[in-house]
Amino acid sequence: MLPMLLAAQTVTSPNGNIAVTFSLTDNGRPTYEMTYKGKAVVKPSHLGLELAKDKHASRGLDETDLMDNFSVADVQTSQFDETWKPVWGETATIRNHYNEMAVTLQQTVAIPIRAAQGNERGLGVKNKTRKMVVRFRVYDDGMGLRYEFPQQEDLIYFLIKEEHTEFAMAGDHTAWWLPGDYDTQEQMTQQTKLSEIRGRMKEAVNWGNSSVAVFSETGVQTSLQMKTDDGLYINIHEAACLDYATMHLELVDAQTKALSTQLGGGSNAYTPNPKPSPYPLPAPFTFVSHLTPDATGLKGAMQTPCETPWRTVMVSDDARDMLSSNLILNLNEPCALDDTSWIHPTKYCGVWWEMIVGKSNWNYTNDFPSIKLDRIDWNKVKPNGRHAANNEKVRRYIDFAADNGLDEVLVEGWNVGWEDWANMWKRDVFDFVTPYPDFDIKALNDYAHSRGVKLLMHHETSSSAQNYERHLKEAYELMNRYGYDAVKTGYVGDIIPRGDHHYSQSMNNHYLYVIKEAAKHHIMVNSHEATRPTGICRTYPNLVGGESARGTEYEAFGGNNPDHTCILPFTRLQGGPMDYTPGIFVTKLNEWSDNTSWARITIAGTLALYLTMYSPLQMAADLPEHYARYMDAFQFIRDVACDWDDSKYLEAEPGDYITVARKAKGTDNWFIGGKCDENGHKCNVKLDFLDKGRKYECTIYADAPNAHYEKNPQAYVITKRTVKKGDVLKMTEAPGGGFAVSLIAK
Amino acid sequence: MLPMLLAAQTVTSPNGNIAVTFSLTDNGRPTYEMTYKGKAVVKPSHLGLELAKDKHASRGLDETDLMDNFSVADVQTSQFDETWKPVWGETATIRNHYNEMAVTLQQTVAIPIRAAQGNERGLGVKNKTRKMVVRFRVYDDGMGLRYEFPQQEDLIYFLIKEEHTEFAMAGDHTAWWLPGDYDTQEQMTQQTKLSEIRGRMKEAVNWGNSSVAVFSETGVQTSLQMKTDDGLYINIHEAACLDYATMHLELVDAQTKALSTQLGGGSNAYTPNPKPSPYPLPAPFTFVSHLTPDATGLKGAMQTPCETPWRTVMVSDDARDMLSSNLILNLNEPCALDDTSWIHPTKYCGVWWEMIVGKSNWNYTNDFPSIKLDRIDWNKVKPNGRHAANNEKVRRYIDFAADNGLDEVLVEGWNVGWEDWANMWKRDVFDFVTPYPDFDIKALNDYAHSRGVKLLMHHETSSSAQNYERHLKEAYELMNRYGYDAVKTGYVGDIIPRGDHHYSQSMNNHYLYVIKEAAKHHIMVNSHEATRPTGICRTYPNLVGGESARGTEYEAFGGNNPDHTCILPFTRLQGGPMDYTPGIFVTKLNEWSDNTSWARITIAGTLALYLTMYSPLQMAADLPEHYARYMDAFQFIRDVACDWDDSKYLEAEPGDYITVARKAKGTDNWFIGGKCDENGHKCNVKLDFLDKGRKYECTIYADAPNAHYEKNPQAYVITKRTVKKGDVLKMTEAPGGGFAVSLIAK
């Protein structure tokens, strides 16, 4: 039981459905709770930060925890209502409408005065008064809270040992979760009750991704989608994680005793804290924040004025609200770029899937056990004959893109270094400017431009962030010189500098540094294996895509479950678009190798992903020769937009089905996608969003009656008819299937 | 006792005085020993590297130690004799004359085949054969040995847990040593017997530098100067430490039990190895290599082909040979720069000492508890009135330099960020391009150039290496734009990324990266608080100076012992020149503040340092207004050269005295400097190195008879006479004093 709450202050959402109440416990510990239509969403939960003890404390680093002994110095409430236009998005405008409460907390502590570092004899005490603001923004679809640290004489620098933000759940909800990990979220989502997380963890860790290492037996990632027994949908995530460590959640369950037990995997050995936290664990079904550490185990270095990311809780009794919510975007700062005219939605194909399935290689030679870039004369090495990114092949992809209305062609493996690029602690792995001898960077870009197409740059960093930062400016200058305007970055493997993690404060700062430097060069960024997004694409809309989840590539690495794409929009996509790379038509992958993996989706189902997996960057991922076999179905990929004036989520249930209709930017045309899990799905699409009195040429790409993601994935039926507002499309989605519809206004 | 030695192979120095013998123990452990004129210098000592166990071993990282089970596959011997011309130096040419022996060792190990990461069930074993070359180069004044790892299929990548290179001393020598530390060598040198190191350590750590933290109670740094009871001088150091961790030495003494006991300080907590090394400790008086770890405790990540730095042992029965030796330079690679015409010896003054002594400040404002560079409008902040790097003052220093034949003017504190720059884990501390409002970078450079002087750039990194690398190119472009051609870099405080160390492999790579990038921009580098040098200025002669020891600034931080400068040439200067910043004429520092520190040197003594502390970069460190009081003595600083065609060490004894005569580059003029310790010194300088038949105008700057470094430091006598070859100058050096002589050919 929590101690008695004092001085409670409540702020409600504009429509009154959500109420958030702040209070202090009798020992001055900040606490909040949240209700939706009178039901508990977050039961009374503590807030606070535990600070690390540092050798430099005597020189200004603060060590006194920001956990308790607070009093309320001030409470400010306000309203905000504004509509803004995203550079790209699901809708032409976004309303940012919330009620705000900023609670200024004051903590007075007597601190010993120390003469100098290492001198532990006290010279008396002095009083120190520190301020911390907890700011709440309450929307109709959820709330965000964050900690703010104003500039002040008694709180200048501090190191975070751990953030202790709690989210006390009201019951044993169903959750869609990923095992907590400091470096990857390329796992298959688990669906269990909260009470079952601990029991499922080992299986979850071992499921199809050998590099996973969890920090706790009940550690999970965000965005975490939940559903209560009485039909509430709750989602916990964060917004605007910029120069701060990514937050995971640790569930306090009945068995929570040893918080730091390490499980499975081999990655990132977890170093237990040298002594346990002095702050007791809350009641079961409470999630507690767990930040990603740096190489020394610390969670962050802060300097006032500063603030944490927003900790967000979305809630609704309608699952569709989880998908249409703009809570995360709204909690980010407005666009920081003066000129965004160079940012554009992009459909692309790429020299990529053929390497994934084993038809060709990224690397150029097999001559050496390993490569040192400064010791190789690439014109003298023997080609292995399997290098994909060669002039002739890239020209064919350029032709394919130009012939089919695709904007860009990604080429992976164009630059030297792919012979030994990952996981060997190799710092100087790529230089990002030297092409292999068979990739004529000038001629290929010239040819692409002559055909109205651009090449899409690829920078695999191999997680050697230091090396990438060293080469960044030259790499982007090269892109500018040859006319590239977008880069896919990659962070495969362990971070160099050694000991750091993909989701740490320093790496989050790295990704942001890359985005900002790219913006200076008018380059769009699509960041793979980077930290999961938290809506910063509002502020930096040149971040047009990312991975940070199990993408289509895993169809070749053991496969994704058929319901995977019915979960991701509820979880991974909360923070921003994903470069999921849909469009795999030939789902059995043993055509070019002995790879027994196969894609668990029908052709109609993969077409639906261009709608249900919103992204301004969409790939047609399969091989041109595969699309050639199904050009009538491929027509939908040619036609579908990737930027929208409006979006209507027609039905949704996590892990089961999603149906969405979207109005293409600057047109009267609509596109509809429906995607379901392994059980199939029937749905009636009522076209009540169409313009009254207007007729639409409707093309339906549906699963054939006998279609099935495993047994008959290429069975589809294309029908055309004319429709009008109010008509109903009765759709049957096959197991692992879906449908896609284009509605062209006449 | 070592096991029986097998297959001994010996290589001797060109003059036959030094012999180095390689052999294998009966369990195949490589071993060497070294004699000088038949006396043991290094008794039989093991060689080898212990490798770390890594999660990526199954993917190619090798884990099998390179310690034993070797056989000799090949022995190659050769001779080398070449004379090369340094870009700058103590002599016009340097002879590189050695006999070489390269022993190719082969190790065949049966290794378990593992199916995949984490699968510990063996799938059988396979044989792996690995090659390692131990290369010896034996000179008349010492030897170098290094490990080389050719490119090979069975040894591609490996992580170093520890290098176990032993140096078994033949007795309880006298040593001049610094406590081992991963981040600083700004300590006062200790002079003890080897057996006394452990007992002296605590006192040594606490002596005047609060940030020292040793890794062992018998851990010391290199270059380590020793003297045997029978008069041999032995010096252990390393050469060409490029992409490798800096080596310290751990002495095995009678009490060596717990190798990893931590002592004193607060810096860099030493993490003991999780389990002890399986390789037993050698006999007492043996030094064992101890490499600087990274944030994870590892000592290095290697990829073949590669090699370690040279481990060097200099030996002679004449102390002067320690100073005139070019062993370290010779073991470095030749100059890697095509064009060195822009590199020049430099005498400079600077807006620096007045901040050190408290007359003025680096920072511009006191308005804020801390600074975030992107949030401050510097034109609106209130100046604190003590900012040194202002237009008016810098112009006065430019005038002073121009009027006195100095080439450049260092200006520290010119760029924004000095308000809170060190030790707060602040990453974005400086941008290296934004001047304070009262520093007109264009006008000041223009004015300097109009007076025939250059400004010398200052880049304090605050050890935020990541931040410096991000800004490096823009910072150097700014320097090129305004006509700077040299930069003093600084690495005060703890390394960011957190957990790394100043002397680690990654930081050594950083310093090299900076030197290479600077060379691309024709910028000379003078690196303060960086790793101690190992002769790489031969390869990169734009590295014209460095600190990496306790410099003159410590005269203001408690003081340096009077014998300090009689030790540094034997130790710190072995690796390359030091920017010691001599020339303090006003030695009591309480003129501008209540600083009770004082410089322990006479004026004649500090003049001597321009000769005895060889550097192509020499500062006149004191204030112009101080020099104005002693312009007759300052005349020597105006006259003295800082590049030489020849150098003759006339007498030397570590910690006692050094006398050297040098012939100024491209002239017939000589300069002589003599420096002694706190006891004073008499010496007869025989001018037998002068040209026969030529007369020289000789000016002698001597301590007055009553001069004393504490009681009467400003007492000097200047005399002039005409001298010729064979004349003798009878000099008396006061306690803490010295003398300087200029000999201008008539």
Side-chain angles (χ1 to χ4, degrees):
Chain A
M1 294 293 293
L2 290 174
M4 185 180 62
L5 305 178
L6 302 172
Q9 301 279 343
T10 298
V11 57
T12 57
S13 61
N15 68 3
N17 284 346
I18 296 178
V20 176
T21 299
F22 174 86
S23 56
L24 287 174
T25 64
D26 52 7
N27 64 338
R29 204 166 167 198
T31 304
Y32 76 104
E33 59 187 305
M34 177 182 182
T35 60
Y36 175 77
K37 295 180 180 174
K39 290 182 186 173
V41 176
V42 180
K43 297 207 296 186
S45 297
H46 294 117
L47 299 169
L49 291 99
E50 194 178 353
L51 306 192
K53 313 311 171 217
D54 189 80
K55 60 182 173 173
H56 294 315
S58 62
R59 280 180 267 167
L61 270 160
D62 206 301
E63 296 183 338
T64 310
D65 292 337
L66 293 159
M67 292 291 286
D68 48 21
N69 291 313
F70 284 106
S71 60
V72 173
D74 185 38
V75 176
Q76 297 282 340
T77 59
S78 60
Q79 294 81 43
F80 191 83
D81 191 1
E82 170 192 78
T83 296
W84 57 280
K85 290 188 181 183
V87 175
W88 42 261
E90 298 186 73
T91 52
T93 61
I94 292 175
R95 187 176 181 191
N96 186 11
H97 187 198
Y98 59 82
N99 293 331
E100 178 171 289
M101 177 169 67
V103 181
T104 299
L105 298 171
Q106 188 166 300
Q107 184 194 48
T108 300
V109 286
I111 55 160
I113 302 164
R114 289 190 290 187
Q117 187 196 21
N119 183 347
E120 297 298 329
R121 290 171 304 162
L123 300 179
V125 295
K126 67 168 183 175
N127 276 334
K128 187 162 66 165
T129 299
R130 306 187 304 171
K131 287 203 164 113
M132 175 174 86
V133 177
V134 180
R135 188 178 300 275
F136 298 91
R137 288 185 180 166
V138 184
Y139 293 78
D140 288 343
D141 54 358
M143 72 101 196
L145 70 86
R146 73 175 180 186
Y147 306 86
E148 299 176 356
F149 311 95
Q151 190 167 60
Q152 53 195 300
E153 288 292 343
D154 281 343
L155 184 63
I156 304 177
Y157 311 91
F158 56 97
L159 294 175
I160 298 172
K161 181 177 176 188
E162 188 58 276
E163 179 184 324
H164 293 274
T165 300
E166 298 175 357
F167 305 87
M169 297 294 98
D172 192 8
H173 308 330
T174 298
W176 289 264
W177 56 274
L178 298 177
D181 189 295
Y182 300 145
D183 289 281
T184 181
Q185 50 189 55
E186 296 185 359
Q187 302 100 319
M188 192 56 71
T189 304
Q190 304 296 317
Q191 178 183 340
T192 72
K193 291 284 192 181
L194 296 180
S195 59
E196 297 165 342
I197 288 177
R198 184 184 296 274
R200 178 71 69 85
M201 187 59 74
K202 194 160 278 188
E203 183 185 338
V205 166
N206 292 330
W207 206 100
N209 184 332
S210 64
S211 70
V212 175
V214 294
F215 58 85
S216 155
E217 288 183 353
T218 58
V220 300
Q221 307 204 27
T222 72
S223 131
L224 176 70
Q225 180 65 49
M226 287 172 283
K227 186 179 181 183
T228 71
D229 287 345
D230 56 354
L232 280 193
Y233 298 87
I234 300 172
N235 187 298
I236 303 178
H237 193 33
E238 61 179 314
C241 184
L242 298 166
D243 195 5
Y244 199 83
T246 290
M247 177 182 76
H248 289 333
L249 299 173
E250 182 160 37
L251 181 70
V252 177
D253 68 1
Q255 298 176 55
T256 300
K257 285 180 184 111
L259 279 175
S260 53
T261 307
Q262 196 202 346
L263 269 193
S267 178
N268 314 320
Y270 175 68
T271 308
N273 285 324
K275 35 183 188 175
S277 166
Y279 304 100
L281 290 173
F285 302 137
T286 296
F287 288 106
V288 185
S289 56
H290 178 103
L291 303 182
T292 306
D294 68 15
T296 71
L298 289 172
K299 304 298 182 87
M302 306 292 281
Q303 178 190 349
T304 63
C306 57
E307 57 282 321
T308 68
W310 295 94
R311 281 63 185 91
T312 63
V313 181
M314 287 162 49
V315 62
S316 178
D317 49 18
D318 185 335
R320 296 176 302 177
D321 293 341
M322 300 289 106
L323 303 182
S324 60
S325 173
N326 287 305
L327 181 73
I328 303 291
L329 288 178
N330 278 329
L331 286 170
N332 276 269
E333 293 298 307
C335 181
L337 309 180
D338 293 330
D339 173 18
T340 59
S341 62
W342 48 275
I343 300 171
H344 56 82
T346 303
K347 261 192 288 188
Y348 74 102
C349 63
V351 182
W352 174 70
W353 187 246
E354 64 171 80
M355 284 100 94
I356 296 286
V357 300
K359 185 185 173 194
S360 56
N361 290 359
W362 283 268
N363 63 316
Y364 178 79
T365 183
N366 299 336
D367 272 7
F368 310 99
S370 74
I371 297 288
K372 291 195 163 178
L373 291 182
D374 57 356
R375 300 196 187 187
I376 305 280
D377 179 348
W378 290 97
N379 290 309
K380 290 188 179 158
V381 305
K382 192 173 120 216
N384 59 24
R386 286 179 52 83
H387 181 231
N390 63 67
N391 292 320
E392 188 262 335
K393 180 168 292 173
V394 174
R395 278 178 176 256
R396 271 191 281 136
Y397 273 82
I398 291 169
D399 288 338
F400 176 76
D403 293 345
N404 292 288
L406 305 177
D407 307 297
E408 305 209 351
V409 178
L410 167 71
V411 186
E412 295 202 358
W414 68 276
N415 58 323
V416 298
W418 284 92
E419 283 67 23
D420 63 330
W421 61 283
N423 281 323
M424 303 306 173
W425 297 119
K426 187 178 169 180
R427 186 194 52 232
D428 302 325
V429 64
F430 294 112
D431 71 4
F432 310 99
V433 295
T434 307
Y436 281 123
D438 57 349
F439 183 88
D440 186 332
I441 188 168
K442 181 174 190 311
L444 288 170
N445 277 282
D446 287 349
Y447 181 68
H449 300 161
S450 77
R451 296 235 46 205
V453 170
K454 283 192 163 75
L455 295 189
L456 202 164
M457 177 50 80
H458 184 232
H459 290 164
E460 173 57 52
T461 69
S462 191
S463 291
S464 182
Q466 182 186 21
N467 182 56
Y468 191 40
E469 292 196 4
R470 285 181 176 180
H471 290 89
L472 209 55
K473 286 188 175 69
E474 282 175 21
Y476 290 170
E477 283 161 13
L478 180 114
M479 288 177 63
N480 288 160
R481 189 154 63 248
Y482 291 114
Y484 292 87
D485 69 355
V487 61
K488 173 182 174 181
T489 59
Y491 292 87
V492 170
D494 298 300
I495 300 295
I496 299 175
R498 278 199 297 275
D500 205 352
H501 294 293
H502 281 70
Y503 299 167
S504 71
Q505 181 187 30
S506 57
M507 280 304 296
N508 285 341
N509 174 272
H510 165 83
Y511 307 126
L512 184 61
Y513 174 72
V514 167
I515 292 164
K516 288 180 176 178
E517 288 297 314
K520 288 183 193 167
H521 291 83
H522 287 196
I523 289 169
M524 298 181 283
V525 176
N526 166 26
S527 202
H528 281 233
E529 299 95 14
T531 202
R532 70 216 179 10
T534 56
I536 66 171
C537 56
R538 179 184 178 188
T539 311
Y540 302 99
N542 65 315
L543 179 61
V544 293
E547 190 184 41
S548 309
R550 198 173 170 93
T552 294
E553 66 184 3
Y554 275 88
E555 301 285 24
F557 307 156
N560 293 329
N561 289 340
D563 67 355
H564 183 52
T565 52
C566 296
I567 299 168
L568 287 177
F570 287 92
T571 54
R572 161 64 182 78
L573 268 59
Q574 295 292 0
M578 178 174 174
D579 183 32
Y580 188 73
T581 70
I584 301 305
F585 281 15
V586 175
T587 53
K588 301 295 193 300
L589 307 180
N590 56 0
E591 189 171 353
W592 308 101
S593 69
D594 55 1
N595 189 342
T596 58
S597 291
W598 52 283
R600 285 150 175 79
I601 199 163
T602 67
I603 284 183
T606 203
L607 295 182
L609 298 182
Y610 292 84
L611 282 305
T612 59
M613 297 280 289
Y614 164 69
S615 176
L617 183 73
Q618 289 285 15
M619 187 177 198
D622 211 341
L623 309 183
E625 53 266 43
H626 288 173
Y627 288 133
R629 301 181 199 167
Y630 308 99
M631 282 308 282
D632 54 349
F634 183 68
Q635 185 65 39
F636 181 79
I637 298 179
R638 296 179 59 151
D639 293 341
V640 68
C642 50
D643 198 17
W644 312 99
D645 275 336
D646 203 3
S647 292
K648 307 276 187 196
Y649 285 91
L650 304 177
E651 53 173 11
E653 183 65 20
D656 291 345
Y657 52 82
I658 295 169
T659 307
V660 64
R662 303 190 193 270
K663 188 181 183 190
K665 192 87 171 178
T667 76
D668 292 313
N669 305 326
W670 287 78
F671 294 83
I672 311 171
K675 181 74 187 69
C676 72
D677 65 6
E678 67 281 6
N679 299 314
H681 181 60
K682 286 185 191 300
C683 81
N684 295 333
V685 179
K686 195 170 184 194
L687 303 176
D688 51 7
F689 45 82
L690 297 181
D691 289 349
K692 193 173 181 183
R694 191 189 281 272
K695 290 188 173 173
Y696 296 82
E697 173 71 28
C698 172
T699 308
I700 301 170
Y701 303 78
D703 287 319
N706 60 347
H708 184 278
Y709 69 96
E710 180 177 13
K711 297 170 202 147
N712 200 12
Q714 280 88 21
Y716 56 85
V717 178
I718 301 174
T719 54
K720 289 181 189 287
R721 51 191 275 207
T722 299
V723 299
K724 63 179 190 309
K725 180 179 172 77
D727 287 354
V728 174
L729 307 179
K730 292 177 186 264
M731 305 303 308
T732 298
E733 303 170 44
F739 69 89
V741 175
S742 67
L743 293 156
I744 310 301
K746 290 190 174 179
Chain B
M1 293 293 290
L2 290 174
M4 185 180 62
L5 305 178
L6 302 172
Q9 301 279 344
T10 298
V11 57
T12 57
S13 60
N15 69 3
N17 284 346
I18 296 178
V20 176
T21 299
F22 174 86
S23 56
L24 287 174
T25 64
D26 53 7
N27 63 338
R29 203 165 169 198
T31 304
Y32 76 104
E33 58 189 302
M34 177 181 182
T35 60
Y36 174 78
K37 295 182 181 174
K39 291 182 185 172
V41 176
V42 180
K43 297 207 298 185
S45 297
H46 294 117
L47 299 168
L49 290 99
E50 193 177 355
L51 305 192
K53 312 311 171 216
D54 189 81
K55 59 183 175 174
H56 294 313
S58 62
R59 280 180 266 168
L61 270 161
D62 206 301
E63 297 183 338
T64 310
D65 292 337
L66 293 159
M67 292 290 286
D68 47 23
N69 290 312
F70 284 105
S71 60
V72 172
D74 185 39
V75 176
Q76 296 283 339
T77 58
S78 60
Q79 294 80 42
F80 190 83
D81 190 0
E82 173 191 76
T83 296
W84 57 279
K85 289 189 181 182
V87 174
W88 41 261
E90 299 185 74
T91 53
T93 60
I94 293 175
R95 187 177 182 190
N96 187 11
H97 187 199
Y98 59 82
N99 292 331
E100 178 172 288
M101 175 168 69
V103 181
T104 300
L105 298 170
Q106 188 166 299
Q107 182 196 50
T108 299
V109 286
I111 55 160
I113 302 165
R114 290 190 288 185
Q117 186 195 21
N119 182 347
E120 296 300 329
R121 291 171 304 162
L123 300 178
V125 295
K126 68 168 183 174
N127 276 334
K128 188 161 66 164
T129 299
R130 306 188 304 172
K131 286 202 165 114
M132 176 173 85
V133 177
V134 180
R135 187 177 302 273
F136 298 91
R137 288 186 181 165
V138 183
Y139 293 78
D140 288 343
D141 54 359
M143 74 102 195
L145 70 86
R146 72 175 181 186
Y147 306 87
E148 298 176 356
F149 311 96
Q151 191 167 58
Q152 52 194 301
E153 288 293 342
D154 282 342
L155 185 62
I156 304 176
Y157 311 92
F158 56 97
L159 294 175
I160 297 173
K161 182 178 176 188
E162 189 57 275
E163 179 183 326
H164 294 273
T165 300
E166 298 173 358
F167 304 87
M169 297 294 98
D172 191 8
H173 308 332
T174 297
W176 288 264
W177 55 274
L178 296 177
D181 190 296
Y182 300 145
D183 289 281
T184 182
Q185 50 188 57
E186 296 186 359
Q187 301 101 317
M188 193 55 72
T189 303
Q190 305 296 317
Q191 176 182 341
T192 72
K193 290 283 190 181
L194 296 180
S195 58
E196 297 165 341
I197 289 178
R198 182 184 297 273
R200 177 70 69 84
M201 185 61 73
K202 193 160 280 190
E203 182 186 339
V205 166
N206 291 331
W207 206 100
N209 185 332
S210 65
S211 70
V212 175
V214 295
F215 57 85
S216 154
E217 289 183 351
T218 58
V220 301
Q221 307 203 28
T222 72
S223 136
L224 176 70
Q225 179 65 50
M226 288 172 281
K227 185 178 182 182
T228 71
D229 287 344
D230 56 354
L232 279 193
Y233 298 88
I234 300 173
N235 187 297
I236 303 179
H237 193 34
E238 60 179 316
C241 184
L242 299 165
D243 196 4
Y244 199 83
T246 290
M247 176 182 76
H248 288 332
L249 299 174
E250 183 161 35
L251 180 70
V252 177
D253 68 2
Q255 299 175 54
T256 300
K257 286 178 184 112
L259 276 176
S260 52
T261 306
Q262 197 201 343
L263 267 196
S267 180
N268 316 318
Y270 175 66
T271 308
N273 286 323
K275 34 182 189 174
S277 166
Y279 305 99
L281 291 172
F285 302 136
T286 297
F287 288 105
V288 185
S289 55
H290 178 102
L291 303 181
T292 305
D294 67 15
T296 71
L298 289 172
K299 307 295 183 89
M302 306 292 283
Q303 178 191 348
T304 63
C306 57
E307 57 282 321
T308 67
W310 295 93
R311 281 62 184 91
T312 62
V313 181
M314 286 162 51
V315 61
S316 178
D317 48 19
D318 185 337
R320 297 176 301 174
D321 293 341
M322 298 291 105
L323 304 182
S324 60
S325 173
N326 288 304
L327 181 76
I328 302 292
L329 288 177
N330 277 330
L331 286 169
N332 276 269
E333 293 298 307
C335 182
L337 309 181
D338 292 331
D339 173 17
T340 59
S341 62
W342 47 276
I343 299 171
H344 55 83
T346 301
K347 260 192 288 188
Y348 74 103
C349 63
V351 182
W352 174 71
W353 187 245
E354 64 170 80
M355 286 100 95
I356 296 285
V357 299
K359 184 184 173 193
S360 56
N361 290 359
W362 283 268
N363 63 315
Y364 178 78
T365 182
N366 300 335
D367 272 8
F368 310 99
S370 73
I371 297 288
K372 290 194 162 177
L373 291 183
D374 57 357
R375 298 195 189 189
I376 305 280
D377 180 347
W378 290 97
N379 290 309
K380 292 188 178 155
V381 305
K382 189 174 122 218
N384 58 23
R386 288 178 52 84
H387 181 231
N390 63 68
N391 292 321
E392 189 263 333
K393 181 168 292 172
V394 174
R395 278 180 177 253
R396 271 192 281 137
Y397 273 83
I398 290 169
D399 288 337
F400 176 75
D403 292 345
N404 292 287
L406 305 177
D407 306 298
E408 306 209 350
V409 177
L410 168 71
V411 185
E412 295 204 358
W414 69 276
N415 58 322
V416 298
W418 284 92
E419 283 67 23
D420 61 330
W421 62 282
N423 281 322
M424 303 305 172
W425 297 118
K426 186 177 170 182
R427 186 194 51 233
D428 302 325
V429 65
F430 294 112
D431 71 4
F432 310 99
V433 295
T434 306
Y436 281 122
D438 57 349
F439 183 88
D440 186 332
I441 187 168
K442 181 174 188 311
L444 288 171
N445 278 281
D446 286 350
Y447 181 67
H449 300 162
S450 77
R451 297 233 45 203
V453 170
K454 281 192 164 75
L455 295 189
L456 203 164
M457 177 51 81
H458 184 232
H459 290 165
E460 173 56 54
T461 69
S462 191
S463 293
S464 182
Q466 182 186 20
N467 182 56
Y468 191 40
E469 292 195 5
R470 284 181 177 180
H471 291 89
L472 209 56
K473 286 189 174 68
E474 282 175 20
Y476 291 171
E477 282 160 14
L478 179 114
M479 288 177 64
N480 287 161
R481 189 154 62 249
Y482 291 114
Y484 293 86
D485 69 355
V487 61
K488 172 183 173 180
T489 60
Y491 292 87
V492 170
D494 298 300
I495 299 296
I496 299 176
R498 277 200 296 275
D500 205 353
H501 295 292
H502 281 70
Y503 300 167
S504 71
Q505 181 187 31
S506 56
M507 280 303 296
N508 285 340
N509 175 271
H510 165 84
Y511 307 125
L512 185 59
Y513 174 72
V514 168
I515 292 165
K516 287 180 176 178
E517 288 298 313
K520 288 182 193 167
H521 292 82
H522 286 196
I523 290 169
M524 299 181 283
V525 176
N526 166 26
S527 203
H528 280 234
E529 298 94 16
T531 201
R532 70 214 179 11
T534 56
I536 66 172
C537 56
R538 178 184 179 187
T539 312
Y540 302 99
N542 65 316
L543 179 61
V544 292
E547 190 184 40
S548 309
R550 196 174 172 93
T552 294
E553 66 184 1
Y554 275 87
E555 302 285 25
F557 308 157
N560 293 330
N561 289 339
D563 66 355
H564 184 51
T565 51
C566 296
I567 299 169
L568 287 177
F570 287 92
T571 55
R572 162 64 183 78
L573 268 59
Q574 295 293 357
M578 177 174 176
D579 184 31
Y580 187 73
T581 70
I584 301 305
F585 280 15
V586 175
T587 53
K588 300 296 192 300
L589 307 180
N590 56 359
E591 189 173 354
W592 309 99
S593 69
D594 55 1
N595 189 341
T596 57
S597 291
W598 52 284
R600 286 149 175 79
I601 199 163
T602 66
I603 284 184
T606 203
L607 295 181
L609 298 182
Y610 292 84
L611 282 304
T612 59
M613 297 281 289
Y614 165 69
S615 175
L617 183 74
Q618 288 286 15
M619 188 176 197
D622 210 340
L623 309 184
E625 53 266 43
H626 288 173
Y627 288 133
R629 301 180 199 166
Y630 308 99
M631 281 309 283
D632 56 347
F634 184 67
Q635 184 64 39
F636 182 78
I637 298 179
R638 295 179 60 152
D639 293 341
V640 69
C642 50
D643 198 18
W644 312 99
D645 274 337
D646 201 3
S647 293
K648 308 275 186 197
Y649 285 90
L650 304 177
E651 52 174 12
E653 184 64 22
D656 291 344
Y657 53 81
I658 295 170
T659 307
V660 63
R662 302 189 193 273
K663 189 180 182 190
K665 192 87 171 178
T667 74
D668 292 312
N669 305 327
W670 287 78
F671 295 83
I672 310 172
K675 181 75 188 71
C676 71
D677 64 7
E678 68 281 5
N679 298 316
H681 181 60
K682 287 185 191 298
C683 82
N684 295 333
V685 179
K686 194 168 183 196
L687 302 177
D688 52 5
F689 45 82
L690 297 180
D691 287 350
K692 193 173 180 184
R694 190 189 282 272
K695 289 187 174 173
Y696 296 81
E697 174 70 29
C698 172
T699 309
I700 300 170
Y701 302 77
D703 288 318
N706 59 347
H708 183 277
Y709 67 97
E710 182 178 10
K711 296 171 202 147
N712 199 14
Q714 280 88 21
Y716 56 87
V717 178
I718 301 174
T719 54
K720 287 181 190 289
R721 52 191 271 208
T722 298
V723 299
K724 64 180 189 306
K725 179 180 172 79
D727 287 354
V728 175
L729 307 179
K730 291 177 186 265
M731 304 303 308
T732 298
E733 302 169 45
F739 69 89
V741 175
S742 67
L743 294 156
I744 309 303
K746 290 190 173 179

